């Protein structure tokens, strides 16, 4: 599940390091609120590993791909609701109480999952966690931006995005740490409550956002906080800037009218500028999810097993690679997005995504074609543990075995996993018997010689995705809407992102069962190619433009997204495919 990002240049990062060293209170505020990003990332990463062991502990989960998808995706569904309520709570009660409530929900969800006696209770815990994630994902960046000095705001808000990817990486490490511990998945999911509890304690001791306090006419409290953030010589200047900013904000709200969300939406959609901006923003957000990123982030160990690595430990260890590459990609994006431009980075990213998804699809196709046969002689060694559908007269290979209706697994040959093996009904007894003979037991993918290529393609896919499609859609959405409609339009785009995330997360395993793994990745490849075309024709370049200039660009009669808008020279005839600076 990929979060938003605010871009900062190198000078801003240098100033950030200097100021946080001389004003440590700023760092305390940012890191305390930034734990919300860590929780967001941890929840995304931890369920991918925990699911392997939940599947082993509950046979009903092993047999139902829909149930596995539901366990994963209910956190996303909860996040949609949490983000919606979070926006209202932020305005009504403030940023600090919203973060505290998000922590309480996350902690409750972690405890429910850790103690869950059945998969249904795990799902309930996932909903609680999702509610907390949804509220924290939108409140933490807002609190950081409103409590940060203006000149380093971008750098500080960027730390939230880094903590998201850092949380994902930490989740895989913790998953590995608990693989040999009794209770495995319960520890993996339950330990998520620790950072939530830490943030709850830290935020309890921190102040409310000065901007929110000023809007509530609690001006002295706001001024007292600003005195802790800014050097003495800058405080009065910042208080005056805050006053002017809020007065302008109230004036803009008055120009929209107080007719409620429906009225604001109607007025927004009546503007050609907003319609064009909203089309670009929503398409960017939907494309971000429909290229299949959360199949990797939520199901990475499962994909590794589909590639032919049977061991849970091996699958999670190899998944660390994808998580680490995603974190590195987020850092790379911060250095290149202002140089290369938003549009160009998205298009280059999509080209790489299409290429590597095609390689992934081809790899899984080859692995399925060369799957080792099922041997009647090998299978008969396991007596009453044989897969019910298997018949000695049938010409089965490993893939036929894994597709059996009664949920069967492939017990590989003892000496060479590529030689004919046995097809057994999936149970704890059959797993133990297979492992006792020094054999690997496969339930997701088959043994093959192509697994390493799938891992390379998976890593290259992440490298292509993270710096471009991973961060740029959020940046575009922060720049493309007129200020007076930014709240409602940004909310629509964010909901489109979450809903698309839910659709992908809830259908991935079902698609692999219905179409096959290779066909599923070819489907994502085709969708990504379509996204490349649509993004090319709908998303303009906003690099280097002021908000007013973006609005002027969108209202031009000859507006074409693939034309580079230059406010200082006529744009006629300046058609370029990748918006070259």
């Amino acid at each position: 599940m990929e979060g938003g990002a605010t871009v900062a240049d190198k000078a801003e990062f240098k100033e950030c390091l200097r100021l946080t060293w001389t004003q440590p209170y700023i760092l305390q505020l940012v890191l305390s609120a930034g734990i919300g990003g860590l929780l967001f990332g941890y929840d995304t990463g931890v369920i991918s590993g925990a699911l392997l062991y939940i599947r082993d502990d509950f046979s009903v989960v092993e047999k139902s791909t829909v149930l596995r998808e539901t366990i994963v995706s209910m956190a996303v569904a909860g996040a949609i609701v949490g983000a919606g309520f979070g926006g209202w709570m932020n305005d009504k009660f403030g940023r600090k109480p919203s973060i505290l409530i998000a922590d309480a929900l996350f902690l409750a969800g972690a405890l429910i999952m850790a103690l869950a006696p059945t998969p249904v209770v795990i799902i309930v815990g996932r909903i609680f966690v999702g509610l907390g994630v949804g509220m924290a994902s939108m409140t933490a960046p807002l609190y950081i931006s409103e409590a940060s000095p203006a000149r380093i705001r971008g750098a500080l808000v960027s730390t939230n995005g880094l903590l998201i990817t850092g949380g994902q990486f930490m989740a895989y490490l913790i998953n590995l740490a608990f693989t040999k511990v009794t209770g495995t998945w319960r520890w993996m999911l339950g330990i998520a409550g620790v950072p939530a509890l830490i943030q709850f304690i830290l935020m309890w001791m921190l102040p409310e956002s000065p901007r929110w306090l000023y809007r509530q006419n609690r001006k002295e409290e706001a001024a007292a906080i600003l005195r802790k953030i800014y050097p003495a010589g800058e405080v009065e200047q910042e208080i005056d800037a805050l006053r002017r900013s809020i007065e302008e904000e109230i004036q803009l709200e008055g120009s929209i009218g107080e007719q409620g969300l429906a009225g604001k939406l109607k007025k927004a959609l009546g503007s050609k500028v907003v319609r064009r901006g909203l089309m670009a923003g929503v398409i960017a957000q939907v494309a971000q999810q429909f290229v299949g990123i959360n199949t990797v982030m939520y199901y990475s160990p499962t994909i590794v097993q589909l590639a032919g690595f049977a061991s849970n430990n091996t699958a999670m260890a190899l998944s660390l690679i994808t998580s680490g590459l995603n974190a590195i990609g987020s850092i790379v994006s911060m250095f290149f997005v202002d140089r290369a431009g938003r549009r160009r980075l998205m298009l280059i990213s999509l080209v790489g995504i299409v290429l590597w998804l095609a390689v992934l699809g081809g790899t899984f196709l080859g692995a399925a074609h060369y799957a080792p046969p099922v041997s009647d002689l090998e299978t008969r060694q396991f007596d009453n543990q044989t897969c019910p559908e298997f018949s000695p007269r049938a010409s089965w290979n490993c893939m036929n075995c894994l597709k059996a209706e009664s949920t069967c697994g492939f017990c590989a040959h003892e000496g060479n996993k590529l030689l004919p093996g046995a097809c057994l009904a999936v149970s704890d007894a059959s797993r133990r018997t297979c492992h006792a003979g020094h054999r690997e037991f496969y339930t997701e993918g088959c043994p093959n010689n192509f697994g390493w290529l799938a891992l390379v393609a998976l890593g290259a896919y992440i490298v292509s995705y993270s710096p471009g499609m991973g961060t740029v859609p959020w940046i575009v959405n922060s720049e493309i809407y007129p200020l007076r409609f930014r709240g409602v339009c940004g909310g629509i785009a964010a909901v489109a992102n979450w809903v698309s995330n839910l659709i992908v997360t809830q259908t991935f395993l079902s698609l692999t069962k219905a179409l096959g793994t290779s066909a599923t990745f070819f489907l994502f490849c085709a969708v990504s190619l379509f996204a490349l075309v649509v993004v090319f024709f709908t998303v303009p370049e906003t690099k280097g433009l002021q908000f007013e200039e973006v609005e002027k660009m969108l209202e031009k009669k000859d507006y074409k997204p693939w034309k580079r808008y230059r406010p200082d020279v006529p744009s006629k005839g300046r058609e370029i495919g990748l918006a070259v600076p």
Side-chain angles (χ1 to χ4, degrees):
M1 186 182 319
E2 295 301 296
T6 297
V7 184
D9 59 25
K10 286 191 289 186
E12 191 169 329
F13 276 107
K14 289 179 182 177
E15 176 66 7
C16 176
L17 291 172
R18 187 194 68 78
L19 201 57
T20 51
W21 179 261
T22 57
Q23 299 282 112
Y25 186 70
I26 298 170
L27 194 61
Q28 183 185 348
L29 285 172
V30 171
L31 291 182
S32 298
I35 294 174
L38 190 76
L39 293 175
F40 188 174
Y42 185 87
D43 177 69
T44 304
V46 75
I47 193 61
S48 61
L51 189 64
L52 302 181
Y53 294 92
I54 294 171
R55 192 182 68 198
D56 290 347
D57 278 5
F58 298 105
S59 60
V60 65
V61 177
E62 177 75 67
K63 295 176 180 178
S64 173
T65 55
V66 173
L67 187 55
R68 273 183 269 167
E69 289 167 335
T70 302
I71 288 172
V72 173
S73 64
M74 278 304 99
V76 180
I80 296 172
V81 178
F85 273 106
W88 172 76
M89 288 187 65
N90 274 315
D91 290 337
K92 183 72 174 177
F93 303 110
R95 299 7 172 176
K96 178 179 173 178
S98 297
I99 293 176
L100 292 173
I101 292 170
D103 287 331
L105 288 167
F106 200 100
L107 180 59
L111 292 173
I112 290 169
M113 290 187 294
L115 302 172
T118 65
V120 173
V121 179
I122 296 175
I123 291 171
V124 172
R126 293 287 293 163
I127 293 172
F128 271 83
V129 164
L131 290 168
V133 164
M135 292 175 63
S137 67
M138 67 171 301
T139 308
L142 187 63
Y143 181 91
I144 294 170
S145 68
E146 293 181 349
S148 304
R151 61 184 180 276
I152 62 167
R153 185 169 296 143
L156 291 177
V157 177
S158 293
T159 62
N160 188 67
L162 290 176
L163 284 168
I164 291 173
T165 53
Q168 291 168 346
F169 188 74
M170 185 180 78
Y172 285 114
L173 289 175
I174 288 176
N175 281 349
L176 277 173
F178 285 106
T179 53
K180 301 296 184 182
V181 177
T182 303
T184 52
W185 61 268
R186 296 183 186 276
W187 286 101
M188 294 173 184
L189 298 175
I191 206 169
V194 174
L197 181 61
I198 292 171
Q199 186 181 42
F200 186 91
I201 295 168
L202 291 175
M203 286 302 302
W204 192 268
M205 298 184 289
L206 290 176
E208 178 55 81
S209 155
R211 186 179 187 85
W212 185 84
L213 289 171
Y214 205 96
R215 283 217 57 165
Q216 303 302 310
N217 209 29
R218 295 161 61 179
K219 299 178 182 178
E220 285 304 316
E221 292 178 61
I225 297 166
L226 291 174
R227 289 188 184 98
K228 291 184 178 182
I229 297 173
Y230 290 94
E234 299 178 20
V235 172
E236 294 305 320
Q237 178 185 344
E238 292 300 328
I239 292 173
D240 186 57
L242 179 62
R243 176 188 58 78
R244 284 185 277 106
S245 174
I246 288 174
E247 286 176 357
E248 181 183 350
E249 186 178 278
I250 293 171
Q251 186 178 0
L252 285 170
E253 289 172 356
S255 72
I256 297 174
E258 299 298 329
Q259 63 270 59
L261 179 61
K264 288 179 181 179
L265 184 58
K266 183 178 179 181
K267 195 163 185 176
L269 294 178
S271 164
K272 177 174 65 176
V273 171
V274 174
R275 289 197 304 272
R276 286 173 170 174
L278 197 58
M279 177 184 291
V282 169
I283 283 172
Q285 293 285 37
V286 172
Q288 184 192 65
Q289 295 301 321
F290 277 5
V291 298
I293 182 58
N294 279 313
T295 63
V296 176
M297 300 319 298
Y298 285 120
Y299 298 110
S300 183
T302 301
I303 293 173
V304 171
Q305 289 189 334
L306 287 167
F309 297 90
S311 165
N312 286 351
N313 292 358
T314 302
M316 286 195 294
L318 292 173
S319 296
L320 272 171
I321 299 170
T322 61
S323 180
L325 288 172
N326 192 37
I328 293 168
S330 298
I331 298 170
V332 170
S333 174
M334 292 159 64
F335 287 95
F336 283 97
V337 73
D338 276 331
R339 296 182 183 182
R342 286 78 161 120
R343 174 183 164 87
R344 172 189 279 183
L345 208 52
M346 285 181 71
L347 293 174
I348 293 173
S349 177
L350 282 165
V351 169
I353 287 168
V354 170
L355 171 64
W356 291 110
L357 282 174
V359 173
L360 266 174
T363 301
F364 283 112
L365 187 64
H369 181 73
Y370 292 102
V374 174
S375 163
D376 178 45
L377 181 63
E378 288 284 315
T379 303
R380 270 188 285 160
Q381 296 181 36
F382 297 91
D383 297 329
N384 58 347
Q385 295 173 337
T386 303
C387 177
E389 285 93 342
F390 175 68
S391 167
R393 292 183 295 274
S395 179
W396 271 24
N397 65 16
C398 171
M399 293 304 298
N400 300 119
C401 177
L402 299 190
K403 291 179 180 178
E405 286 293 326
S406 57
T407 312
C408 299
F410 182 78
C411 183
H413 190 277
E414 181 179 352
N416 185 340
K417 64 182 182 180
L418 299 179
L419 292 177
C423 186
L424 310 178
V426 172
S427 67
D428 288 340
S430 61
R431 274 197 179 90
R432 285 194 299 269
T433 307
C434 182
H435 291 150
H438 304 290
R439 302 163 177 251
E440 291 280 8
F441 193 65
Y442 295 81
T443 58
E444 296 294 335
C446 293
N448 62 82
N449 285 327
F450 300 91
W452 65 270
L453 183 56
L455 291 179
V456 170
L458 201 61
Y461 166 82
I462 290 291
V463 169
S464 299
Y465 173 89
S466 186
M469 290 303 295
T471 55
V472 175
W474 295 97
I475 297 167
V476 169
N477 273 275
S478 72
E479 298 173 335
I480 205 165
Y481 308 121
L483 183 60
R484 59 193 178 279
F485 295 118
R486 190 161 300 146
V488 65
C489 292
I492 291 170
V495 169
N497 183 285
W498 281 108
V499 171
S500 302
N501 184 342
L502 179 61
I503 292 170
V504 171
T505 308
Q506 183 64 44
T507 58
F508 174 66
L509 292 180
S510 294
L511 285 171
T512 61
K513 289 293 182 184
L515 304 177
T517 309
S518 62
T520 300
F521 280 105
F522 281 135
L523 175 62
F524 280 119
C525 179
V527 171
S528 300
L529 182 59
F530 178 71
L532 173 63
V533 175
V534 174
V535 166
F536 181 90
F537 285 107
T538 59
V539 180
E541 181 57 74
T542 57
K543 170 194 169 184
L545 299 180
Q546 300 294 328
F547 292 131
E548 296 79 7
E549 292 168 346
V550 172
E551 192 167 347
K552 288 177 182 177
M553 173 182 69
L554 293 174
E555 69 185 2
K556 288 174 68 70
K557 288 184 179 180
D558 63 341
Y559 164 75
K560 296 290 187 296
W562 55 91
K563 287 183 179 180
R564 181 71 165 103
Y565 175 75
R566 299 182 188 275
D568 55 333
V569 294
S571 61
K572 187 175 181 180
R574 292 186 179 273
E575 294 193 19
I576 53 174
L578 295 178
V580 178

